[in-house]
Amino acid sequence: MKPLRTLALFAALTLPSLAEDVTIFNGTDLTGWEGNKELWSVKDGAITGITPPDPANPTKGIIKHNTFLVWKGGTVGDFTLTFKYRIEKGNSGVQYRSKELPAGEFGPIISGYQADFEAGEKYSGILYEERGRGILALRGEKTVIKAGADAKKPTVEKAGLVGDSAAIQASIKKEDWNEYKIVAIGNHVQHFINGMQTIDVTDEDAANAPKEGLLALQIHQGPPMTVQFKDFKLTPLK
């Protein structure tokens, strides 16, 4: 058996260490963020995004493509991020290790990993790759991603479960504040909502797996919706 001091030294050498937390939201305005300011604002100390109703059909929103509020203070590679979110109707999420595509009529367009959540009961907690390889893990799943014949159609191998999907959904407070956590280290990413792990993904599709990129917040095309974010804590890992 190895001496305890040797084991402690080995752990210190192999585990990523924490850098200082990075402030990405000042709590009062959108300094450091870029997006369509008709859709994004700060209300009650929270970043707030809306999809306004179409005057001609109030059940539909006016935006015709997903659009984003992009953090311009740097990029993220290996990190942990916690934040609180609240959503009324629709779908949203946080993009990470993402890239910016040419902007659309309603603002920035982003491609990359997304920590998804919604007002419904199917997608909260999943790993989705926006404008890329699609769903990489459903809620509760542990998966390994392998390269496919088509860059946008990888092989998703199920490697087990990290939790019960229904139990995770039952813990999510509807139209109220929930806490989300993202952990990204190398090609391994994990999501948690309200302390419950929702996915575990090892991305072995090396040609397409993002290693570093932008952080962004989403508002989704579709019905009118409101989403809010606050209490961000971004900790780079080195």
Side-chain angles (χ1 to χ4, degrees):
M1 180 180 292
K2 292 182 180 179
L4 291 177
R5 187 169 67 178
T6 302
L7 290 172
L9 176 61
F10 177 77
L13 291 173
T14 56
L15 293 174
S17 59
L18 303 179
E20 291 186 4
D21 292 346
V22 177
T23 299
I24 63 174
F25 173 48
N26 62 21
T28 58
D29 59 37
L30 295 178
T31 298
W33 295 83
E34 184 177 283
N36 183 337
K37 299 301 173 61
E38 293 185 2
L39 304 177
W40 293 99
S41 63
V42 175
K43 295 181 179 178
D44 301 322
I47 294 177
T48 302
I50 61 170
T51 298
D54 183 341
N57 187 346
T59 64
K60 295 184 177 181
I62 63 168
I63 70 171
K64 306 304 180 187
H65 61 81
N66 298 346
T67 188
F68 300 83
L69 184 70
V70 185
W71 180 55
K72 290 297 186 176
T75 57
V76 294
D78 289 359
F79 68 96
T80 67
L81 174 69
T82 59
F83 61 93
K84 291 180 181 176
Y85 76 88
R86 188 178 74 87
I87 188 168
E88 298 175 8
K89 301 182 180 179
N91 178 283
S92 183
V94 170
Q95 296 286 138
Y96 60 98
R97 293 183 176 178
S98 296
K99 59 185 178 181
E100 193 162 2
L101 303 179
E105 178 185 357
F106 298 93
I109 293 177
I110 296 291
S111 172
Y113 284 155
Q114 182 182 118
D116 207 331
F117 62 85
E118 61 164 343
E121 299 188 350
K122 183 175 181 180
Y123 296 113
S124 292
I126 75 167
L127 177 62
Y128 179 73
E129 190 174 74
E130 178 87 3
R131 292 181 177 256
R133 294 170 294 167
I135 294 175
L136 300 180
L138 291 171
R139 187 175 58 231
E141 289 186 342
K142 181 176 184 179
T143 63
V144 178
I145 312 304
K146 305 282 189 178
D150 184 327
K152 289 193 175 184
K153 294 181 180 178
T155 299
V156 179
E157 297 181 355
K158 295 183 181 180
L161 298 174
V162 297
D164 178 74
S165 179
I168 297 167
Q169 178 61 44
S171 77
I172 298 173
K173 292 169 278 189
K174 189 174 181 63
E175 296 189 359
D176 201 351
W177 292 102
N178 297 278
E179 183 177 84
Y180 213 123
K181 181 177 182 179
I182 303 166
V183 180
I185 302 173
N187 69 342
H188 183 212
V189 300
Q190 299 168 296
H191 296 169
F192 303 79
I193 297 180
N194 296 334
M196 301 181 72
Q197 187 168 359
T198 65
I199 60 97
D200 184 300
V201 174
T202 301
D203 195 343
E204 297 181 355
D205 182 7
N208 299 300
K211 309 299 189 299
E212 185 174 354
L214 298 172
L215 191 69
L217 315 178
Q218 184 195 61
I219 48 176
H220 210 284
Q221 66 176 333
M225 60 167 283
T226 299
V227 63
Q228 293 186 293
F229 304 83
K230 67 178 183 179
D231 296 347
F232 293 91
K233 182 180 178 182
L234 173 63
T235 305
L237 303 175
K238 60 180 180 178

